[in-house]
Amino acid sequence: MNASRQQEETNTKALSGAEVLLRVLVEQEVEVVFGYPGGAVLPIYDALFRQNRIRHILVRHEQAAVHAAEAYARSTGKVGVVLVTSGPGATNAVTGLVDALMDSIPLICLSGQVPTALIGNDAFQEADTTGITRPATKHNYLVKRPSDLAPIVREAFEVASGGRPGPVLIDLPKDITVGNAPLPTSGEGRLHRRYAPRLDADADAIKQTIAAMKRAKRPLFYTGGGIINSGPKASEGLRELARRTGVPVTSTLMGLGAFPTTDKQFLGMLGMHGSYEANLATHGCDLLIALGSRFDDRVTGRVDAFSPNSFKVHADIDPAQINKIIKIDVPLLGDVGRTIEALLQAWDGEGQDLSPWWAQIEGWRALDSLGFQQDMSPEAIIRPQYAVRRLYEMTQRLGRDTFVTTEVGQHQMWAAQHFQFDKPNRWLTSGGLGTMGYGLPAAVGAQIAHPDALVIDIAGEASTLMNIQELGTIAQYRLPVKLFILNNRYMGMVRQWQELLHGSRYSQSYSEALPDFIRLAEAFHGTGLRATNVGELDGVIEKMLAHDGPVVADICVAQDENCFPMIPSGAPHNEMLLGPDQEANAAKITQEGMMLV
């Protein structure tokens, strides 16, 4: 230890490790922690009890704590913080950590650990948390010395939010939090390592991109969640870039809201359940500029047939993503918001006439690939697309700031297709990991972050049951979350794949014994509503939106409805299933494609 460090620690007050931890969290402007107590973290909970700067939200499961913190982070742009105990507390959090890692969500997960002297002795509730979470986090730490505590926590926040955001875990042995620990007086603390991701793309690469844009006759912006992670200015820059260049825009699932989905230049999502025009534009463009997107397999489909004739530019802050899946002609390594700003500064408005390209796109758009027919007689079965569309239309009338979370499955895709998002950070879903049970705890996190906003979890009945215990959290904090269940009694997407890939043998995808969702809501001190036909739908939505407390709306929808358009797994973007009438003539699903599902 050098002299200055000795002096610094000499100048500190005698605080417990738990108190030091909370002081650094306050220093990092943490206002909310989502967690669940246990023996190894009781000193931290005791310190929380004796302060009033940080609010703790008691969830009912550690996985839910991470999803709530994810939504808090994604909807605010701040770092989400989770507190769990050792052993099962930490392992229960792993699913959420992987979810945050794949979707690039900045998180700090504080996990309790047995005292350092017992590590490796198979002590009660001991788990090798750093070993288990190494591939599940952007970085993790085991605090072995009290003097390391404050610097590690400070560094962890920089790692979580810097570069490509992600989850960082800090494992805290109980003796570290019980015993005294120094709190260095310097505001910044010392970093163990230099973490300085590159922020500005190479100037020559910007010139090459502009030259490609000037000669392109069929350009396309393919946008992703990186734009939202970069902050509101990145979304504003994208809107300006699209307006000034006239280039059409498509988006990944995670990027929805970065560009207004009601804008005429928006083609809809691309990929497996993307729109006809977005997928054909991706296949037929001569310049593809990927902005903050990572060429996920649900987007690319068959890699060797992905946008086969385009010149490809990829803007991403993570160098590991460049040329990882798709060969790139020009890499733009840096923060995507700053890259967009550089492109705006370099663009002089002189490009090709794009009217023939737009005419072709409008021809594809005329197919109305997201269209559906709803029988409007009062007793008619509700089609799930119609339920989402009506939910969107009726929320628009309220004019409230609205956040939508989802679970994972068919309902998620219908929500992405039929609920419109004109602002970033309002669409909160599990994209990379596809975590069933994400939406309800995510709604908790979004509602805590935005107490006056309307927060709706669009759910499937199977997925929502995976974390239904969070109705208890919602009740405890009187959160006015609306749970909008599209109930078809099936694991809908599983059923759809079984129909397409396995001869309609619906093995274990039907739920024989669902709960009565109205009584379930009442058991958790909420309000339950149900619509079983078209004539009841609007009334249920109206009551749900008007109620100032939590509501579970059970919307009974057509059981055999499938989600279209759909690119069969393993097929290129120009081979889509557009609906039941066209399935017989569509591309065949190959053995290789079956393995990609």
Side-chain angles (χ1 to χ4, degrees):
M1 183 182 296
N2 60 40
S4 62
R5 187 172 182 181
Q6 282 183 324
Q7 185 60 47
E8 191 173 56
E9 295 193 358
T10 300
N11 291 339
T12 61
K13 293 174 58 179
L15 299 171
S16 71
E19 291 171 317
V20 167
L21 172 66
L22 296 190
R23 291 205 180 192
V24 178
L25 294 184
V26 170
E27 173 191 301
Q28 298 295 324
E29 300 182 352
V30 173
E31 297 173 340
V32 180
V33 172
F34 299 88
Y36 199 96
V41 288
L42 284 183
I44 302 173
Y45 274 87
D46 189 56
L48 279 167
F49 185 82
R50 292 183 282 110
Q51 58 84 52
N52 56 11
R53 300 286 297 274
I54 297 174
R55 185 183 183 194
H56 180 272
I57 302 299
L58 176 64
V59 296
R60 300 303 189 261
H61 193 284
E62 290 87 352
Q63 179 188 345
V66 185
H67 294 328
E70 284 184 88
Y72 179 90
R74 192 141 196 264
S75 67
T76 63
K78 301 176 182 176
V79 176
V81 181
V82 178
L83 175 57
V84 298
T85 193
S86 60
T91 57
N92 282 346
V94 170
T95 296
L97 293 174
V98 179
D99 192 275
L101 182 69
M102 294 192 72
D103 286 346
S104 306
I105 308 298
L107 287 182
I108 299 293
C109 181
L110 305 164
S111 58
Q113 183 56 276
V114 300
T116 50
L118 294 183
I119 291 177
N121 289 344
D122 293 334
F124 177 66
Q125 292 195 333
E126 180 188 1
D128 178 10
T129 301
T130 52
I132 292 168
T133 62
R134 187 164 293 119
T137 56
K138 184 177 179 181
H139 193 65
N140 66 18
Y141 302 85
L142 172 62
V143 182
K144 297 178 179 177
R145 299 182 304 176
S147 60
D148 288 342
L149 177 59
I152 281 178
V153 177
R154 287 168 176 153
E155 180 178 288
F157 274 84
E158 291 211 9
V159 174
S161 58
R164 181 182 176 183
V168 176
L169 179 137
I170 306 173
D171 207 23
L172 297 161
K174 193 167 183 178
D175 54 314
I176 296 293
T177 54
V178 169
N180 288 343
L183 176 61
T185 53
S186 59
E188 296 294 326
R190 283 182 299 277
L191 298 185
H192 291 175
R193 307 169 186 83
R194 291 292 302 168
Y195 180 60
R198 181 171 172 172
L199 298 179
D200 293 307
D202 180 76
D204 187 58
I206 294 291
K207 288 181 182 177
Q208 291 182 60
T209 303
I210 292 296
M213 292 170 69
K214 287 182 175 242
R215 64 174 180 265
K217 296 180 179 178
R218 301 186 307 280
L220 179 68
F221 289 134
Y222 151 42
T223 62
I227 294 177
I228 294 174
N229 287 339
S230 182
K233 285 188 177 179
S235 294
E236 294 170 8
L238 173 63
R239 294 160 200 237
E240 179 65 15
L241 185 64
R243 187 187 66 77
R244 286 171 55 181
T245 61
V247 173
V249 179
T250 184
S251 171
T252 67
L253 180 73
M254 298 304 293
L256 291 175
F259 190 81
T261 57
T262 55
D263 192 291
K264 286 189 175 180
Q265 281 184 246
F266 187 66
L267 308 187
M269 281 196 306
L270 78 166
M272 180 174 280
H273 290 289
S275 72
Y276 185 68
E277 54 268 34
N279 282 329
L280 287 191
T282 303
H283 188 80
C285 67
D286 63 358
L287 171 64
L288 184 76
I289 301 179
L291 298 169
S293 46
R294 61 183 178 88
F295 297 97
D296 177 83
D297 64 275
R298 286 296 190 268
V299 164
T300 61
R302 211 178 88 199
V303 171
D304 64 352
F306 176 74
S307 194
N309 300 310
S310 65
F311 186 85
K312 296 178 181 64
V313 177
H314 187 190
D316 202 297
I317 198 167
D318 183 358
Q321 295 300 318
I322 305 295
N323 287 318
K324 179 179 179 180
I325 297 170
I326 299 293
K327 187 178 183 307
I328 297 303
D329 297 292
V330 177
L332 294 170
L333 183 60
D335 174 77
V336 69
R338 294 166 75 137
T339 298
I340 291 172
E341 185 60 35
L343 292 173
L344 276 169
Q345 291 178 3
W347 179 253
D348 61 8
E350 296 183 5
Q352 298 287 327
D353 175 13
L354 300 184
S355 57
W357 177 226
W358 272 109
Q360 190 172 19
I361 289 172
E362 293 302 335
W364 293 328
R365 181 140 52 189
L367 185 72
D368 190 17
S369 62
L370 300 183
F372 59 90
Q373 295 296 320
Q374 171 66 61
D375 180 350
M376 293 305 297
S377 56
E379 298 302 320
I381 296 174
I382 303 167
R383 297 190 69 173
Q385 304 96 318
Y386 180 71
V388 175
R389 186 71 62 85
R390 287 302 294 154
L391 178 64
Y392 167 69
E393 291 169 350
M394 295 177 75
T395 56
Q396 285 299 291
R397 295 175 190 169
L398 300 177
R400 295 180 62 187
D401 198 9
T402 301
F403 293 78
V404 172
T405 69
T406 76
E407 309 294 336
V408 168
Q410 282 182 321
H411 68 274
Q412 179 188 31
M413 295 298 110
W414 284 316
Q417 292 173 338
H418 297 283
F419 205 103
Q420 303 298 318
F421 300 93
D422 287 345
K423 295 179 181 178
N425 306 97
R426 268 65 177 176
W427 165 247
L428 311 169
T429 195
S430 172
L433 193 60
T435 308
M436 293 176 71
Y438 173 89
L440 189 58
V444 169
Q447 193 77 78
I448 289 292
H450 309 278
D452 297 326
L454 174 62
V455 178
I456 305 171
D457 175 26
I458 299 178
E461 81 291 335
S463 191
T464 196
L465 284 173
M466 284 213 173
N467 270 322
I468 195 69
Q469 77 284 343
E470 295 312 313
L471 285 177
T473 306
I474 288 169
Q476 179 165 337
Y477 297 98
R478 300 180 181 179
L479 304 177
V481 166
K482 315 304 181 192
L483 176 54
F484 191 76
I485 300 174
L486 300 179
N487 183 354
N488 62 5
R489 305 186 73 85
Y490 274 101
M491 299 167 207
M493 194 62 85
V494 174
R495 187 197 56 76
Q496 180 167 341
W497 288 341
Q498 288 175 329
E499 182 176 316
L500 292 171
L501 305 176
H502 298 285
S504 298
R505 293 181 292 280
Y506 302 128
S507 177
Q508 301 298 315
S509 56
Y510 182 75
S511 296
E512 294 281 352
L514 289 172
D516 181 329
F517 285 107
I518 291 179
R519 295 173 68 182
L520 184 66
E522 292 169 351
F524 282 100
H525 314 288
T527 296
L529 301 169
R530 179 174 294 125
T532 59
N533 55 49
V534 168
E536 296 172 341
L537 180 63
D538 280 9
V540 165
I541 295 176
E542 188 173 342
K543 287 180 182 176
M544 179 185 80
L545 297 178
H547 187 61
D548 61 2
V551 176
V552 177
D554 182 17
I555 311 299
C556 302
V557 298
Q559 292 190 342
D560 58 354
E561 191 73 25
N562 283 338
C563 185
F564 294 108
M566 180 179 182
I567 298 177
S569 51
H573 283 68
N574 61 339
E575 296 180 14
M576 278 172 277
L577 303 177
L578 297 176
D581 296 339
Q582 295 174 281
E583 286 183 38
N585 297 323
K588 300 298 181 185
I589 299 173
T590 64
Q591 188 73 20
E592 293 170 338
M594 288 177 67
M595 289 186 283
L596 295 175
V597 169

